[in-house]
Each structure stands twice: as structure tokens, then as C-alpha cells.
Amino acid sequence: AQSVTQLGSHVSVSEGALVLLRCNYSSSVPPYLFWYVQYPNQGLQLLLKYTTGATLVKGINGFEAEFKKSETSFHLTKPSAHMSDAAEYFCAVSGSSNTGKLIFGQGTTLQVKP
Amino acid sequence: GAGVSQSPSNKVTEKGKDVELRCDPISGHTALYWYRQSLGQGLEFLIYFQGNSAPDKSGLPSDRFSAERTGGSVSTLTIQRTQQEDSAVYLCASSLKGDVAQHFGDGTRLSIL
């Protein structure tokens, strides 16, 4: 079975500060890992994904994440927060079957203070 | 190009009624997924289609829930005899065969009175 744990349901940062959203996963097979962002009343937008190869993955809007197998982590970072980054962020894992279905964490709401 | 389209965007219905939710995937995407997003349960997988077949229905919560896909395109999720616990946002996603990235629609917000 696969699972995802996001540490911290709410994270608050000041504009211009580092953003760090934590994600740990459990998987009995090599995982595919994803970060999605959701703005109010919208669907999920893919920020970045890890499948194989380079463990540091760069995504859209200046976000990046590093796959650390030894720590079973896939934390999301951004050097400098912008007001427009305020949203809910979901970490997800797939790979346990051929279906590609995503198993999501509970989400982290990012607040950006001016 | 056009993204995943879901209709209606909002649906309010009375307990016990049947509802149909529609998903129109991105053209050419053979894989289609339904998820449910609720306050108590977070984001949950419901069903996966590859073409018109549904090899994974493991997330459907009860036999009141069913889904079909026709022509390898549009999918309909049907909930019969709705209950208040069915209130949630139902999200549809699609992907190209062999691509792990799923593209999501904006969802249907279902409210059961």
C-alpha cells in the first residue's frame, strides 16, 4: 500500500521568505511523486513531478522539490514567497499499480503575509 | 487548448434523488479518473478508465455509485439515492497513455440537502 503524510495543515510565511512544505511517503514500489496546487473553487494544477532520474525536480512558478529515498521525503520549496502563492498544496504518490491512480496527502494551506 | 471540462459546476439536490456528473477529458487522453474531495476524507480516488473500460473501480464507496465512459471520451458518474455524506467536490482528471501526469477539471460541487 502507498500513503502520503504532509506535515503541517497550515503554513504561514512572509512575502519574500522561504517556502518549505513537507511531504513524506510510504511505498513498497518505486514511487512516482507529485505536488499539486489548488486555488479556491478550482481544480488541481500540477506543479512538478518525480518519476526517475534527477532527484531535484524543478516545477512551475519557481517551485522545486527533492526526492530523498533514504528519508522517504519529497519536500516542496520556493526561495521567495509571493502573495499569489497562497493556496492549498497537495503531495501525491502513485506507482503501486498500472492504473496510475494518485494517493494524496491531506493538504497544506499556505498563507503568505505581506 | 481546452482542458478537462466538468458539468455542472454546482449541483444542489435533495436526499434520495439521483444525480449525474459529467466529465469531458482533454482530447486524445485515453486515461480518465474520478476523485472525490471532502472535508472529512480529503482527496480520494474513485475510479479509473482506460478507454471505455474501468479496470480499477476500487474507490467507489458503495453500489449507489457507478460510472461509465463512452467513445473513449466523455464520462458520467452517477450517484443513486443520494445521501448527505455524498456532499463533496467531485473531480475528474485525464492523462495521455503512458504519461503519469494527470490534468484536472475544476470539479462539480455537490450539495445534498
Side-chain angles (χ1 to χ4, degrees), chain A residues 32 34 36 38 41-44 46 49 51 90 99-102 104 106, chain B residues 33 35 37 41-43 45 48 56 58 91 99-102 104-106 109:
Chain A
Y32 296 155
F34 308 82
Y36 282 87
Q38 186 177 35
N41 298 314
Q42 295 187 22
L44 282 72
L46 180 66
K49 65 182 179 184
T51 54
F90 292 92
T99 69
K101 68 182 181 185
L102 296 171
F104 288 92
Q106 289 299 306
Chain B
Y33 304 80
Y35 295 88
Q37 185 174 25
Q41 302 299 319
L43 274 157
F45 164 80
Y48 157 69
D56 190 347
S58 61
L91 293 164
D99 186 357
V100 299
Q102 296 178 25
F104 284 79
D106 286 342
R109 183 175 299 275

PDB file of all heavy atoms in Angstrom, chain A residues 32 34 36 38 41-44 46 49 51 90 99-102 104 106, chain B residues 33 35 37 41-43 45 48 56 58 91 99-102 104-106 109:
ATOM      1  N   TYR A  32       6.199   7.260  -7.940  1.00  0.00           N
ATOM      2  CA  TYR A  32       6.122   8.500  -8.693  1.00  0.00           C
ATOM      3  C   TYR A  32       5.529   9.515  -7.719  1.00  0.00           C
ATOM      4  O   TYR A  32       4.545   9.224  -7.041  1.00  0.00           O
ATOM      5  CB  TYR A  32       5.209   8.359  -9.910  1.00  0.00           C
ATOM      6  CG  TYR A  32       5.689   7.383 -10.951  1.00  0.00           C
ATOM      7  CD1 TYR A  32       4.784   6.773 -11.820  1.00  0.00           C
ATOM      8  CD2 TYR A  32       7.036   7.059 -11.094  1.00  0.00           C
ATOM      9  CE1 TYR A  32       5.201   5.879 -12.790  1.00  0.00           C
ATOM     10  CE2 TYR A  32       7.457   6.162 -12.064  1.00  0.00           C
ATOM     11  CZ  TYR A  32       6.539   5.572 -12.904  1.00  0.00           C
ATOM     12  OH  TYR A  32       6.953   4.685 -13.850  1.00  0.00           O
ATOM     13  N   PHE A  34       4.331  13.653  -6.795  1.00  0.00           N
ATOM     14  CA  PHE A  34       3.760  14.837  -7.408  1.00  0.00           C
ATOM     15  C   PHE A  34       3.458  15.892  -6.333  1.00  0.00           C
ATOM     16  O   PHE A  34       3.154  15.556  -5.188  1.00  0.00           O
ATOM     17  CB  PHE A  34       2.436  14.507  -8.107  1.00  0.00           C
ATOM     18  CG  PHE A  34       2.505  13.366  -9.071  1.00  0.00           C
ATOM     19  CD1 PHE A  34       2.429  12.047  -8.627  1.00  0.00           C
ATOM     20  CD2 PHE A  34       2.639  13.592 -10.428  1.00  0.00           C
ATOM     21  CE1 PHE A  34       2.491  10.988  -9.502  1.00  0.00           C
ATOM     22  CE2 PHE A  34       2.701  12.534 -11.321  1.00  0.00           C
ATOM     23  CZ  PHE A  34       2.634  11.233 -10.863  1.00  0.00           C
ATOM     24  N   TYR A  36       0.727  19.143  -6.313  1.00  0.00           N
ATOM     25  CA  TYR A  36      -0.335  19.877  -6.989  1.00  0.00           C
ATOM     26  C   TYR A  36      -0.702  21.084  -6.128  1.00  0.00           C
ATOM     27  O   TYR A  36      -0.607  21.046  -4.899  1.00  0.00           O
ATOM     28  CB  TYR A  36      -1.583  19.005  -7.168  1.00  0.00           C
ATOM     29  CG  TYR A  36      -1.516  18.009  -8.293  1.00  0.00           C
ATOM     30  CD1 TYR A  36      -0.968  16.731  -8.098  1.00  0.00           C
ATOM     31  CD2 TYR A  36      -2.021  18.318  -9.554  1.00  0.00           C
ATOM     32  CE1 TYR A  36      -0.928  15.820  -9.132  1.00  0.00           C
ATOM     33  CE2 TYR A  36      -1.987  17.400 -10.597  1.00  0.00           C
ATOM     34  CZ  TYR A  36      -1.442  16.156 -10.372  1.00  0.00           C
ATOM     35  OH  TYR A  36      -1.404  15.241 -11.410  1.00  0.00           O
ATOM     36  N   GLN A  38      -3.929  23.942  -5.455  1.00  0.00           N
ATOM     37  CA  GLN A  38      -5.353  24.193  -5.684  1.00  0.00           C
ATOM     38  C   GLN A  38      -5.715  25.574  -5.171  1.00  0.00           C
ATOM     39  O   GLN A  38      -5.562  25.858  -3.980  1.00  0.00           O
ATOM     40  CB  GLN A  38      -6.209  23.132  -4.980  1.00  0.00           C
ATOM     41  CG  GLN A  38      -7.685  23.236  -5.292  1.00  0.00           C
ATOM     42  CD  GLN A  38      -8.511  22.131  -4.658  1.00  0.00           C
ATOM     43  OE1 GLN A  38      -8.227  21.680  -3.555  1.00  0.00           O
ATOM     44  NE2 GLN A  38      -9.537  21.671  -5.361  1.00  0.00           N
ATOM     45  N   ASN A  41     -12.018  27.173  -5.354  1.00  0.00           N
ATOM     46  CA  ASN A  41     -13.026  26.846  -6.369  1.00  0.00           C
ATOM     47  C   ASN A  41     -12.422  26.445  -7.715  1.00  0.00           C
ATOM     48  O   ASN A  41     -13.062  26.639  -8.766  1.00  0.00           O
ATOM     49  CB  ASN A  41     -13.985  28.021  -6.562  1.00  0.00           C
ATOM     50  CG  ASN A  41     -14.742  28.335  -5.293  1.00  0.00           C
ATOM     51  OD1 ASN A  41     -15.252  27.442  -4.624  1.00  0.00           O
ATOM     52  ND2 ASN A  41     -14.773  29.605  -4.932  1.00  0.00           N
ATOM     53  N   GLN A  42     -11.235  25.914  -7.671  1.00  0.00           N
ATOM     54  CA  GLN A  42     -10.598  25.419  -8.886  1.00  0.00           C
ATOM     55  C   GLN A  42     -10.132  23.984  -8.689  1.00  0.00           C
ATOM     56  O   GLN A  42     -10.108  23.470  -7.570  1.00  0.00           O
ATOM     57  CB  GLN A  42      -9.416  26.308  -9.285  1.00  0.00           C
ATOM     58  CG  GLN A  42      -9.800  27.719  -9.685  1.00  0.00           C
ATOM     59  CD  GLN A  42      -8.623  28.500 -10.218  1.00  0.00           C
ATOM     60  OE1 GLN A  42      -7.623  27.939 -10.677  1.00  0.00           O
ATOM     61  NE2 GLN A  42      -8.729  29.810 -10.169  1.00  0.00           N
ATOM     62  N   GLY A  43      -9.759  23.348  -9.788  1.00  0.00           N
ATOM     63  CA  GLY A  43      -9.203  22.014  -9.707  1.00  0.00           C
ATOM     64  C   GLY A  43      -7.742  22.068  -9.318  1.00  0.00           C
ATOM     65  O   GLY A  43      -7.226  23.107  -8.903  1.00  0.00           O
ATOM     66  N   LEU A  44      -7.081  20.944  -9.450  1.00  0.00           N
ATOM     67  CA  LEU A  44      -5.680  20.842  -9.080  1.00  0.00           C
ATOM     68  C   LEU A  44      -4.786  21.115 -10.282  1.00  0.00           C
ATOM     69  O   LEU A  44      -5.051  20.620 -11.377  1.00  0.00           O
ATOM     70  CB  LEU A  44      -5.365  19.449  -8.531  1.00  0.00           C
ATOM     71  CG  LEU A  44      -5.782  19.160  -7.090  1.00  0.00           C
ATOM     72  CD1 LEU A  44      -7.281  19.029  -6.968  1.00  0.00           C
ATOM     73  CD2 LEU A  44      -5.111  17.907  -6.590  1.00  0.00           C
ATOM     74  N   LEU A  46      -0.856  20.828 -11.675  1.00  0.00           N
ATOM     75  CA  LEU A  46       0.410  20.157 -11.407  1.00  0.00           C
ATOM     76  C   LEU A  46       1.543  21.166 -11.302  1.00  0.00           C
ATOM     77  O   LEU A  46       1.752  21.978 -12.203  1.00  0.00           O
ATOM     78  CB  LEU A  46       0.707  19.163 -12.528  1.00  0.00           C
ATOM     79  CG  LEU A  46       2.005  18.369 -12.399  1.00  0.00           C
ATOM     80  CD1 LEU A  46       1.950  17.421 -11.197  1.00  0.00           C
ATOM     81  CD2 LEU A  46       2.290  17.586 -13.688  1.00  0.00           C
ATOM     82  N   LYS A  49       6.671  16.960 -10.877  1.00  0.00           N
ATOM     83  CA  LYS A  49       6.581  15.513 -10.691  1.00  0.00           C
ATOM     84  C   LYS A  49       7.975  14.898 -10.674  1.00  0.00           C
ATOM     85  O   LYS A  49       8.907  15.419 -11.310  1.00  0.00           O
ATOM     86  CB  LYS A  49       5.745  14.876 -11.804  1.00  0.00           C
ATOM     87  CG  LYS A  49       6.385  15.011 -13.179  1.00  0.00           C
ATOM     88  CD  LYS A  49       5.504  14.406 -14.270  1.00  0.00           C
ATOM     89  CE  LYS A  49       6.190  14.589 -15.640  1.00  0.00           C
ATOM     90  NZ  LYS A  49       5.348  14.108 -16.759  1.00  0.00           N
ATOM     91  N   THR A  51       9.652  11.114 -11.450  1.00  0.00           N
ATOM     92  CA  THR A  51       9.446   9.737 -11.888  1.00  0.00           C
ATOM     93  C   THR A  51      10.737   8.960 -11.698  1.00  0.00           C
ATOM     94  O   THR A  51      10.820   8.081 -10.838  1.00  0.00           O
ATOM     95  CB  THR A  51       8.963   9.689 -13.347  1.00  0.00           C
ATOM     96  OG1 THR A  51       9.865  10.419 -14.177  1.00  0.00           O
ATOM     97  CG2 THR A  51       7.579  10.310 -13.467  1.00  0.00           C
ATOM     98  N   PHE A  90      -1.027  19.972  -2.379  1.00  0.00           N
ATOM     99  CA  PHE A  90      -1.190  18.549  -2.142  1.00  0.00           C
ATOM    100  C   PHE A  90       0.010  17.786  -2.687  1.00  0.00           C
ATOM    101  O   PHE A  90       0.400  17.969  -3.848  1.00  0.00           O
ATOM    102  CB  PHE A  90      -2.453  18.024  -2.820  1.00  0.00           C
ATOM    103  CG  PHE A  90      -3.726  18.539  -2.230  1.00  0.00           C
ATOM    104  CD1 PHE A  90      -4.330  19.676  -2.736  1.00  0.00           C
ATOM    105  CD2 PHE A  90      -4.319  17.895  -1.159  1.00  0.00           C
ATOM    106  CE1 PHE A  90      -5.509  20.162  -2.187  1.00  0.00           C
ATOM    107  CE2 PHE A  90      -5.498  18.367  -0.596  1.00  0.00           C
ATOM    108  CZ  PHE A  90      -6.086  19.507  -1.116  1.00  0.00           C
ATOM    109  N   THR A  99      -2.590   1.436 -12.853  1.00  0.00           N
ATOM    110  CA  THR A  99      -3.665   2.381 -13.103  1.00  0.00           C
ATOM    111  C   THR A  99      -3.201   3.827 -13.036  1.00  0.00           C
ATOM    112  O   THR A  99      -3.832   4.693 -13.618  1.00  0.00           O
ATOM    113  CB  THR A  99      -4.795   2.211 -12.076  1.00  0.00           C
ATOM    114  OG1 THR A  99      -4.330   2.649 -10.791  1.00  0.00           O
ATOM    115  CG2 THR A  99      -5.228   0.758 -11.978  1.00  0.00           C
ATOM    116  N   GLY A 100      -2.141   4.085 -12.299  1.00  0.00           N
ATOM    117  CA  GLY A 100      -1.671   5.457 -12.146  1.00  0.00           C
ATOM    118  C   GLY A 100      -2.485   6.273 -11.181  1.00  0.00           C
ATOM    119  O   GLY A 100      -2.312   7.499 -11.113  1.00  0.00           O
ATOM    120  N   LYS A 101      -3.375   5.630 -10.426  1.00  0.00           N
ATOM    121  CA  LYS A 101      -4.204   6.415  -9.518  1.00  0.00           C
ATOM    122  C   LYS A 101      -3.336   7.093  -8.478  1.00  0.00           C
ATOM    123  O   LYS A 101      -2.309   6.573  -8.035  1.00  0.00           O
ATOM    124  CB  LYS A 101      -5.259   5.543  -8.849  1.00  0.00           C
ATOM    125  CG  LYS A 101      -4.702   4.530  -7.866  1.00  0.00           C
ATOM    126  CD  LYS A 101      -5.828   3.684  -7.307  1.00  0.00           C
ATOM    127  CE  LYS A 101      -5.300   2.665  -6.301  1.00  0.00           C
ATOM    128  NZ  LYS A 101      -6.398   1.752  -5.852  1.00  0.00           N
ATOM    129  N   LEU A 102      -3.743   8.296  -8.093  1.00  0.00           N
ATOM    130  CA  LEU A 102      -2.989   9.096  -7.154  1.00  0.00           C
ATOM    131  C   LEU A 102      -3.520   8.906  -5.734  1.00  0.00           C
ATOM    132  O   LEU A 102      -4.729   8.883  -5.511  1.00  0.00           O
ATOM    133  CB  LEU A 102      -3.083  10.575  -7.519  1.00  0.00           C
ATOM    134  CG  LEU A 102      -2.459  10.971  -8.869  1.00  0.00           C
ATOM    135  CD1 LEU A 102      -2.814  12.406  -9.211  1.00  0.00           C
ATOM    136  CD2 LEU A 102      -0.971  10.768  -8.841  1.00  0.00           C
ATOM    137  N   PHE A 104      -3.301  10.892  -2.255  1.00  0.00           N
ATOM    138  CA  PHE A 104      -2.981  12.246  -1.840  1.00  0.00           C
ATOM    139  C   PHE A 104      -2.738  12.345  -0.334  1.00  0.00           C
ATOM    140  O   PHE A 104      -3.323  11.603   0.461  1.00  0.00           O
ATOM    141  CB  PHE A 104      -4.133  13.196  -2.192  1.00  0.00           C
ATOM    142  CG  PHE A 104      -4.276  13.485  -3.650  1.00  0.00           C
ATOM    143  CD1 PHE A 104      -5.106  12.717  -4.447  1.00  0.00           C
ATOM    144  CD2 PHE A 104      -3.580  14.544  -4.233  1.00  0.00           C
ATOM    145  CE1 PHE A 104      -5.252  12.982  -5.803  1.00  0.00           C
ATOM    146  CE2 PHE A 104      -3.729  14.826  -5.588  1.00  0.00           C
ATOM    147  CZ  PHE A 104      -4.557  14.048  -6.377  1.00  0.00           C
ATOM    148  N   GLN A 106      -3.078  15.027   2.997  1.00  0.00           N
ATOM    149  CA  GLN A 106      -4.236  15.784   3.467  1.00  0.00           C
ATOM    150  C   GLN A 106      -4.200  17.256   3.061  1.00  0.00           C
ATOM    151  O   GLN A 106      -5.183  17.974   3.271  1.00  0.00           O
ATOM    152  CB  GLN A 106      -4.351  15.682   4.990  1.00  0.00           C
ATOM    153  CG  GLN A 106      -4.784  14.303   5.463  1.00  0.00           C
ATOM    154  CD  GLN A 106      -6.156  13.930   4.930  1.00  0.00           C
ATOM    155  OE1 GLN A 106      -7.129  14.652   5.082  1.00  0.00           O
ATOM    156  NE2 GLN A 106      -6.250  12.778   4.276  1.00  0.00           N
TER     157      GLN A 106
ATOM    158  N   TYR B  33      -9.898   9.646 -14.744  1.00  0.00           N
ATOM    159  CA  TYR B  33     -10.012   9.348 -13.316  1.00  0.00           C
ATOM    160  C   TYR B  33     -11.105  10.217 -12.693  1.00  0.00           C
ATOM    161  O   TYR B  33     -11.268  11.376 -13.057  1.00  0.00           O
ATOM    162  CB  TYR B  33      -8.704   9.663 -12.587  1.00  0.00           C
ATOM    163  CG  TYR B  33      -7.481   8.955 -13.129  1.00  0.00           C
ATOM    164  CD1 TYR B  33      -6.820   9.424 -14.258  1.00  0.00           C
ATOM    165  CD2 TYR B  33      -6.980   7.825 -12.495  1.00  0.00           C
ATOM    166  CE1 TYR B  33      -5.696   8.782 -14.749  1.00  0.00           C
ATOM    167  CE2 TYR B  33      -5.847   7.179 -12.975  1.00  0.00           C
ATOM    168  CZ  TYR B  33      -5.213   7.665 -14.103  1.00  0.00           C
ATOM    169  OH  TYR B  33      -4.104   7.021 -14.587  1.00  0.00           O
ATOM    170  N   TYR B  35     -12.160  11.515  -8.792  1.00  0.00           N
ATOM    171  CA  TYR B  35     -11.766  11.642  -7.387  1.00  0.00           C
ATOM    172  C   TYR B  35     -12.867  12.401  -6.656  1.00  0.00           C
ATOM    173  O   TYR B  35     -13.652  13.136  -7.250  1.00  0.00           O
ATOM    174  CB  TYR B  35     -10.458  12.431  -7.247  1.00  0.00           C
ATOM    175  CG  TYR B  35      -9.242  11.773  -7.847  1.00  0.00           C
ATOM    176  CD1 TYR B  35      -8.904  11.965  -9.185  1.00  0.00           C
ATOM    177  CD2 TYR B  35      -8.407  10.959  -7.080  1.00  0.00           C
ATOM    178  CE1 TYR B  35      -7.783  11.372  -9.738  1.00  0.00           C
ATOM    179  CE2 TYR B  35      -7.276  10.355  -7.620  1.00  0.00           C
ATOM    180  CZ  TYR B  35      -6.973  10.581  -8.949  1.00  0.00           C
ATOM    181  OH  TYR B  35      -5.864   9.983  -9.500  1.00  0.00           O
ATOM    182  N   GLN B  37     -13.412  14.979  -3.257  1.00  0.00           N
ATOM    183  CA  GLN B  37     -12.736  15.816  -2.273  1.00  0.00           C
ATOM    184  C   GLN B  37     -13.755  16.280  -1.239  1.00  0.00           C
ATOM    185  O   GLN B  37     -14.697  16.990  -1.556  1.00  0.00           O
ATOM    186  CB  GLN B  37     -12.080  17.032  -2.943  1.00  0.00           C
ATOM    187  CG  GLN B  37     -11.262  17.884  -1.998  1.00  0.00           C
ATOM    188  CD  GLN B  37     -10.505  18.993  -2.711  1.00  0.00           C
ATOM    189  OE1 GLN B  37     -10.898  19.437  -3.801  1.00  0.00           O
ATOM    190  NE2 GLN B  37      -9.413  19.454  -2.139  1.00  0.00           N
ATOM    191  N   GLN B  41     -12.590  13.581   4.506  1.00  0.00           N
ATOM    192  CA  GLN B  41     -11.804  12.495   3.906  1.00  0.00           C
ATOM    193  C   GLN B  41     -10.702  12.959   2.982  1.00  0.00           C
ATOM    194  O   GLN B  41      -9.923  12.149   2.496  1.00  0.00           O
ATOM    195  CB  GLN B  41     -12.731  11.540   3.150  1.00  0.00           C
ATOM    196  CG  GLN B  41     -13.823  10.929   4.004  1.00  0.00           C
ATOM    197  CD  GLN B  41     -13.268  10.107   5.144  1.00  0.00           C
ATOM    198  OE1 GLN B  41     -12.291   9.372   4.998  1.00  0.00           O
ATOM    199  NE2 GLN B  41     -13.874  10.242   6.314  1.00  0.00           N
ATOM    200  N   GLY B  42     -10.628  14.235   2.705  1.00  0.00           N
ATOM    201  CA  GLY B  42      -9.591  14.699   1.784  1.00  0.00           C
ATOM    202  C   GLY B  42      -9.889  14.270   0.361  1.00  0.00           C
ATOM    203  O   GLY B  42     -11.032  14.129  -0.044  1.00  0.00           O
ATOM    204  N   LEU B  43      -8.828  14.059  -0.397  1.00  0.00           N
ATOM    205  CA  LEU B  43      -8.953  13.665  -1.807  1.00  0.00           C
ATOM    206  C   LEU B  43      -8.871  12.149  -1.914  1.00  0.00           C
ATOM    207  O   LEU B  43      -7.870  11.543  -1.539  1.00  0.00           O
ATOM    208  CB  LEU B  43      -7.821  14.284  -2.632  1.00  0.00           C
ATOM    209  CG  LEU B  43      -8.047  15.682  -3.162  1.00  0.00           C
ATOM    210  CD1 LEU B  43      -6.726  16.368  -3.435  1.00  0.00           C
ATOM    211  CD2 LEU B  43      -8.882  15.612  -4.431  1.00  0.00           C
ATOM    212  N   PHE B  45      -9.484   8.655  -4.443  1.00  0.00           N
ATOM    213  CA  PHE B  45      -9.678   8.045  -5.754  1.00  0.00           C
ATOM    214  C   PHE B  45     -10.994   7.278  -5.783  1.00  0.00           C
ATOM    215  O   PHE B  45     -11.342   6.589  -4.820  1.00  0.00           O
ATOM    216  CB  PHE B  45      -8.512   7.095  -6.028  1.00  0.00           C
ATOM    217  CG  PHE B  45      -8.750   6.132  -7.149  1.00  0.00           C
ATOM    218  CD1 PHE B  45      -8.598   6.540  -8.470  1.00  0.00           C
ATOM    219  CD2 PHE B  45      -9.132   4.824  -6.905  1.00  0.00           C
ATOM    220  CE1 PHE B  45      -8.809   5.650  -9.513  1.00  0.00           C
ATOM    221  CE2 PHE B  45      -9.350   3.930  -7.934  1.00  0.00           C
ATOM    222  CZ  PHE B  45      -9.179   4.345  -9.242  1.00  0.00           C
ATOM    223  N   TYR B  48     -11.018   4.495 -12.261  1.00  0.00           N
ATOM    224  CA  TYR B  48     -10.084   4.751 -13.357  1.00  0.00           C
ATOM    225  C   TYR B  48     -10.603   4.093 -14.618  1.00  0.00           C
ATOM    226  O   TYR B  48     -11.015   2.925 -14.598  1.00  0.00           O
ATOM    227  CB  TYR B  48      -8.714   4.199 -12.984  1.00  0.00           C
ATOM    228  CG  TYR B  48      -7.791   3.876 -14.140  1.00  0.00           C
ATOM    229  CD1 TYR B  48      -7.249   4.887 -14.936  1.00  0.00           C
ATOM    230  CD2 TYR B  48      -7.427   2.558 -14.420  1.00  0.00           C
ATOM    231  CE1 TYR B  48      -6.382   4.583 -15.974  1.00  0.00           C
ATOM    232  CE2 TYR B  48      -6.565   2.256 -15.463  1.00  0.00           C
ATOM    233  CZ  TYR B  48      -6.048   3.271 -16.235  1.00  0.00           C
ATOM    234  OH  TYR B  48      -5.177   2.981 -17.266  1.00  0.00           O
ATOM    235  N   ASP B  56     -10.118  -0.382 -12.702  1.00  0.00           N
ATOM    236  CA  ASP B  56      -9.985  -0.142 -11.264  1.00  0.00           C
ATOM    237  C   ASP B  56     -11.172   0.682 -10.783  1.00  0.00           C
ATOM    238  O   ASP B  56     -11.251   1.879 -11.050  1.00  0.00           O
ATOM    239  CB  ASP B  56      -8.662   0.570 -10.953  1.00  0.00           C
ATOM    240  CG  ASP B  56      -8.361   0.627  -9.462  1.00  0.00           C
ATOM    241  OD1 ASP B  56      -9.277   0.337  -8.653  1.00  0.00           O
ATOM    242  OD2 ASP B  56      -7.221   0.967  -9.094  1.00  0.00           O
ATOM    243  N   SER B  58     -11.960   0.380  -7.483  1.00  0.00           N
ATOM    244  CA  SER B  58     -11.813   0.062  -6.067  1.00  0.00           C
ATOM    245  C   SER B  58     -12.205   1.198  -5.122  1.00  0.00           C
ATOM    246  O   SER B  58     -12.455   0.960  -3.942  1.00  0.00           O
ATOM    247  CB  SER B  58     -10.365  -0.344  -5.778  1.00  0.00           C
ATOM    248  OG  SER B  58      -9.479   0.725  -6.080  1.00  0.00           O
ATOM    249  N   LEU B  91     -14.023  15.551  -8.616  1.00  0.00           N
ATOM    250  CA  LEU B  91     -13.010  15.995  -9.575  1.00  0.00           C
ATOM    251  C   LEU B  91     -12.744  14.913 -10.606  1.00  0.00           C
ATOM    252  O   LEU B  91     -12.669  13.730 -10.274  1.00  0.00           O
ATOM    253  CB  LEU B  91     -11.708  16.334  -8.852  1.00  0.00           C
ATOM    254  CG  LEU B  91     -11.747  17.554  -7.925  1.00  0.00           C
ATOM    255  CD1 LEU B  91     -10.542  17.546  -7.003  1.00  0.00           C
ATOM    256  CD2 LEU B  91     -11.778  18.837  -8.732  1.00  0.00           C
ATOM    257  N   ASP B  99       1.617   8.663 -19.784  1.00  0.00           N
ATOM    258  CA  ASP B  99       2.009   9.874 -19.068  1.00  0.00           C
ATOM    259  C   ASP B  99       1.455   9.798 -17.648  1.00  0.00           C
ATOM    260  O   ASP B  99       0.253   9.609 -17.462  1.00  0.00           O
ATOM    261  CB  ASP B  99       1.469  11.107 -19.778  1.00  0.00           C
ATOM    262  CG  ASP B  99       1.973  12.407 -19.158  1.00  0.00           C
ATOM    263  OD1 ASP B  99       2.708  12.354 -18.139  1.00  0.00           O
ATOM    264  OD2 ASP B  99       1.629  13.482 -19.697  1.00  0.00           O
ATOM    265  N   VAL B 100       2.311   9.976 -16.658  1.00  0.00           N
ATOM    266  CA  VAL B 100       1.847   9.858 -15.280  1.00  0.00           C
ATOM    267  C   VAL B 100       1.144  11.115 -14.794  1.00  0.00           C
ATOM    268  O   VAL B 100       0.470  11.091 -13.770  1.00  0.00           O
ATOM    269  CB  VAL B 100       3.022   9.511 -14.345  1.00  0.00           C
ATOM    270  CG1 VAL B 100       3.640   8.185 -14.740  1.00  0.00           C
ATOM    271  CG2 VAL B 100       4.075  10.604 -14.352  1.00  0.00           C
ATOM    272  N   ALA B 101       1.331  12.229 -15.484  1.00  0.00           N
ATOM    273  CA  ALA B 101       0.749  13.492 -15.027  1.00  0.00           C
ATOM    274  C   ALA B 101      -0.732  13.549 -15.389  1.00  0.00           C
ATOM    275  O   ALA B 101      -1.107  13.334 -16.539  1.00  0.00           O
ATOM    276  CB  ALA B 101       1.485  14.663 -15.654  1.00  0.00           C
ATOM    277  N   GLN B 102      -1.556  13.852 -14.416  1.00  0.00           N
ATOM    278  CA  GLN B 102      -2.992  13.967 -14.621  1.00  0.00           C
ATOM    279  C   GLN B 102      -3.395  15.435 -14.628  1.00  0.00           C
ATOM    280  O   GLN B 102      -2.910  16.231 -13.824  1.00  0.00           O
ATOM    281  CB  GLN B 102      -3.735  13.220 -13.512  1.00  0.00           C
ATOM    282  CG  GLN B 102      -3.460  11.723 -13.531  1.00  0.00           C
ATOM    283  CD  GLN B 102      -4.148  10.981 -12.419  1.00  0.00           C
ATOM    284  OE1 GLN B 102      -5.163  11.415 -11.886  1.00  0.00           O
ATOM    285  NE2 GLN B 102      -3.608   9.822 -12.069  1.00  0.00           N
ATOM    286  N   PHE B 104      -6.489  18.043 -14.223  1.00  0.00           N
ATOM    287  CA  PHE B 104      -7.758  18.080 -13.517  1.00  0.00           C
ATOM    288  C   PHE B 104      -8.712  19.142 -14.047  1.00  0.00           C
ATOM    289  O   PHE B 104      -8.295  20.224 -14.487  1.00  0.00           O
ATOM    290  CB  PHE B 104      -7.523  18.357 -12.021  1.00  0.00           C
ATOM    291  CG  PHE B 104      -7.023  17.166 -11.262  1.00  0.00           C
ATOM    292  CD1 PHE B 104      -5.693  16.792 -11.323  1.00  0.00           C
ATOM    293  CD2 PHE B 104      -7.895  16.417 -10.483  1.00  0.00           C
ATOM    294  CE1 PHE B 104      -5.230  15.682 -10.630  1.00  0.00           C
ATOM    295  CE2 PHE B 104      -7.448  15.306  -9.775  1.00  0.00           C
ATOM    296  CZ  PHE B 104      -6.113  14.949  -9.855  1.00  0.00           C
ATOM    297  N   GLY B 105     -10.003  18.809 -13.970  1.00  0.00           N
ATOM    298  CA  GLY B 105     -11.039  19.801 -14.190  1.00  0.00           C
ATOM    299  C   GLY B 105     -11.285  20.594 -12.913  1.00  0.00           C
ATOM    300  O   GLY B 105     -10.675  20.328 -11.880  1.00  0.00           O
ATOM    301  N   ASP B 106     -12.202  21.550 -12.997  1.00  0.00           N
ATOM    302  CA  ASP B 106     -12.491  22.395 -11.841  1.00  0.00           C
ATOM    303  C   ASP B 106     -13.469  21.751 -10.864  1.00  0.00           C
ATOM    304  O   ASP B 106     -13.727  22.311  -9.799  1.00  0.00           O
ATOM    305  CB  ASP B 106     -13.035  23.749 -12.297  1.00  0.00           C
ATOM    306  CG  ASP B 106     -11.952  24.643 -12.871  1.00  0.00           C
ATOM    307  OD1 ASP B 106     -10.761  24.376 -12.609  1.00  0.00           O
ATOM    308  OD2 ASP B 106     -12.295  25.598 -13.593  1.00  0.00           O
ATOM    309  N   ARG B 109     -19.281  20.722  -7.521  1.00  0.00           N
ATOM    310  CA  ARG B 109     -19.582  20.805  -6.089  1.00  0.00           C
ATOM    311  C   ARG B 109     -20.996  20.298  -5.873  1.00  0.00           C
ATOM    312  O   ARG B 109     -21.946  20.921  -6.338  1.00  0.00           O
ATOM    313  CB  ARG B 109     -19.435  22.235  -5.586  1.00  0.00           C
ATOM    314  CG  ARG B 109     -19.653  22.383  -4.080  1.00  0.00           C
ATOM    315  CD  ARG B 109     -19.367  23.801  -3.609  1.00  0.00           C
ATOM    316  NE  ARG B 109     -17.982  24.174  -3.863  1.00  0.00           N
ATOM    317  CZ  ARG B 109     -16.962  23.900  -3.070  1.00  0.00           C
ATOM    318  NH1 ARG B 109     -17.165  23.239  -1.934  1.00  0.00           N
ATOM    319  NH2 ARG B 109     -15.752  24.305  -3.375  1.00  0.00           N
TER     320      ARG B 109
END
